[in-house]
């Protein structure tokens, strides 16, 4: 079952059975294994999971950087995996990406204003004066004074300012989809709040759909309409944000929430559900349910049969034979 939610005419992004694999000296790495979901227009979907679960590989495959090993990525009905290089280039203005490390994603020798201009030069081939006008307009939109910052180099800016430049560069083509890969992970906590507020504002102002990759559940709770939980290359739960945080059904989701720091020191600690062992190797994932080797509810069926996403409630999908609210296995 696809992790869908929007009405058919409101779906902007549809990912179908996406597979990402890499060849290494030790074998074939299964980074993403048959992931399917939908993203509605003006919706923000958070993708969470442990490091190494395949979140960033999924994000880059959607961007065709590089293209996925298998499956389809449809943006407004266009299958990005089947387009010619020229057709993909002309469509790329509709989907842009904000990377985790803002400084390393910018050319250190190029003024940041020129970096913001670059997508317009590469994709739209506008005249120099029009490129600069639009770049300055976008700098203002993300809270940077173009008169002060346009000619500065990345090393002359703070981390938060560099991330604002990266966001402006992604927005300058007026995309429909913004893919954010851990956009605040490398920033100080106080700066994180500023960037999250900015992302909320620009989503509303520009009518963007956002795929928000993160490992910090508190961040996801602030900015996302829905949350998809990923484990070892597969989705295990997808639900509205409130349901994920208050009615988690998958044992892995519950473990992630239990491990998250509690902001209120006066709140009594929850019952620990910390996971035993390490994340299995994507070179040789477990049979059946990939989470079974660390799951306190695992039974023989879990080793034999891979669970598929199924609906527990409207909009709430879980891939588990014995989810917590199903009554099975208790």
């Amino acid at each position: 079952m696809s992790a869908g939610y929007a009405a058919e005419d409101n779906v902007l992004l549809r990912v179908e059975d996406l597979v990402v694999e890499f060849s290494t000296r030790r074998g074939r790495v299964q980074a993403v294994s048959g992931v399917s979901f939908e993203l509605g227009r003006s919706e923000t979907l958070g993708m969470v999971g442990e490091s190494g679960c395949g979140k960033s590989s999924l994000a880059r495959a959607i961007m065709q950087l590089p293209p996925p090993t298998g499956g389809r990525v449809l943006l407004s009905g266009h299958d990005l995996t089947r387009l010619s290089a020229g057709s993909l280039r002309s469509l790329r203005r509709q989907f842009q990406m904000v990377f985790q490390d803002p400084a390393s994603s910018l050319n250190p020798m190029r003024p940041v204003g020129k970096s913001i201009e670059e997508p317009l030069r590469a994709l739209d081939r506008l005249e120099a004066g029009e490129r600069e006008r639009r770049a300055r307009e976008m700098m203002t939109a993300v809270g940077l004074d173009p008169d002060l910052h346009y000619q500065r180099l990345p090393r002359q800016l703070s981390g938060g300012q560099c991330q604002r430049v990266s966001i402006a560069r992604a927005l300058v083509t007026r995309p429909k989809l913004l893919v954010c890969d851990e956009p605040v992970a490398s920033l100080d906590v106080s700066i994180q709040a500023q960037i999250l507020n900015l992302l909320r504002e620009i989503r509303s102002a520009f009518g963007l759909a956002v795929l928000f990759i993160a490992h910090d559940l508190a961040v996801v709770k602030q900015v996302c309409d829905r949350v998809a939980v990923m484990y070892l290359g597969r989705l295990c739960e997808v639900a509205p944000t409130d349901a994920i945080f208050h009615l988690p059904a998958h044992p892995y989701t519950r473990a992630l929430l239990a491990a998250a720091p509690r902001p209120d020191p006066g709140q009594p600690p929850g019952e620990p559900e910390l996971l035993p062992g390490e994340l299995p190797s994507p070179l040789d994932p477990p049979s059946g349910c990939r989470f079974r080797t660390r799951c306190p509810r695992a039974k023989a069926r879990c080793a034999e049969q891979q669970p598929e996403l199924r609906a527990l409630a409207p909009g709430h999908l879980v891939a588990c034979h014995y989810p917590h609210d199903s009554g099975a296995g208790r």
Side-chain angles (χ1 to χ4, degrees):
M1 176 181 289
S2 171
Y5 133 92
E8 184 67 24
D9 60 355
N10 194 43
V11 173
L12 175 67
L13 175 70
R14 178 177 285 111
V15 175
E16 298 179 349
D17 296 320
L18 197 73
V19 175
V20 179
E21 296 181 346
F22 303 105
S23 294
T24 69
R25 292 181 180 179
R26 297 176 57 195
R28 194 79 171 163
V29 174
Q30 302 176 35
V32 180
S33 302
V35 167
S36 300
F37 65 90
E38 295 170 357
L39 179 63
R41 302 177 191 276
S42 302
E43 181 193 14
T44 299
L45 173 66
M47 190 74 64
V48 301
E50 290 173 277
S51 296
C53 74
K55 305 185 301 294
S56 293
S57 295
L58 173 66
R60 290 177 178 272
I62 290 171
M63 294 297 299
Q64 310 299 298
L65 298 172
T69 309
R72 302 204 301 165
V73 179
L74 294 99
L75 182 71
S76 299
H78 300 280
D79 187 352
L80 304 182
T81 65
R82 305 283 194 281
L83 294 180
S84 65
S87 297
L88 181 61
R89 182 185 181 88
S90 65
L91 197 63
R92 192 170 286 282
R93 64 174 59 85
Q94 297 187 22
F95 61 108
Q96 292 291 313
M97 189 166 185
V98 177
F99 297 91
Q100 177 175 347
D101 186 350
S104 65
S105 70
L106 299 171
N107 186 330
M109 303 304 295
R110 176 179 293 172
V112 295
K114 294 299 181 183
S115 290
I116 296 172
E117 284 187 37
E118 185 59 22
L120 297 175
R121 186 196 67 78
L123 300 177
D124 292 329
R125 300 183 180 180
L126 297 177
E127 296 292 333
E130 178 64 11
R131 293 200 305 266
E132 181 170 342
R133 185 192 70 79
R134 293 195 187 185
R136 285 177 172 271
E137 181 182 78
M138 199 53 62
M139 291 182 79
T140 301
V142 300
L144 291 173
D145 185 341
D147 292 334
L148 290 177
H149 298 104
Y150 195 89
Q151 294 297 335
R152 290 185 176 178
L153 298 175
R155 67 174 180 270
Q156 296 173 302
L157 302 182
S158 68
Q161 288 172 328
C162 282
Q163 195 61 292
R164 289 176 186 268
V165 170
S166 298
I167 294 170
R169 180 180 59 183
L171 294 176
V172 76
T173 62
R174 297 300 178 101
K176 297 177 180 178
L177 170 67
L178 192 64
V179 177
C180 298
D181 185 13
E182 303 262 15
V184 298
S186 63
L187 305 177
D188 292 340
V189 173
S190 60
I191 305 301
Q192 286 185 16
Q194 296 175 22
I195 297 301
L196 292 175
N197 288 335
L198 174 62
L199 288 172
R200 279 196 295 262
E201 292 168 5
I202 62 173
R203 187 191 78 164
S204 176
F206 291 89
L208 288 169
V210 180
L211 178 62
F212 192 92
I213 310 294
H215 66 272
D216 189 330
L217 289 167
V219 167
V220 168
K221 188 176 183 179
Q222 290 183 54
V223 300
C224 297
D225 302 306
R226 286 189 303 145
V227 179
V229 182
M230 197 169 180
Y231 182 82
L232 203 63
R234 294 188 63 84
L235 293 182
C236 56
E237 188 165 6
V238 184
T241 302
D242 284 346
I244 286 288
F245 281 86
H246 297 110
L247 295 169
H250 198 284
Y252 179 60
T253 306
R254 295 171 68 92
L256 284 180
L257 292 169
R262 297 177 181 272
D264 182 2
Q267 183 179 356
E271 186 174 339
E273 297 186 45
L274 301 181
L275 299 178
E278 299 292 331
L279 189 72
S281 171
L283 289 165
D284 185 25
S287 63
C289 175
R290 295 189 174 187
F291 183 61
R292 67 175 176 81
T293 58
R294 305 169 74 189
C295 180
R297 301 169 71 85
K299 300 181 183 298
R301 180 186 179 190
C302 302
E304 300 166 358
Q305 183 181 350
Q306 176 179 287
E308 301 295 337
L309 284 172
R310 58 188 177 91
L312 290 183
H316 193 155
L317 308 177
V318 64
C320 181
H321 296 307
Y322 307 105
H324 274 268
D325 65 342
S326 70
R330 290 186 178 182

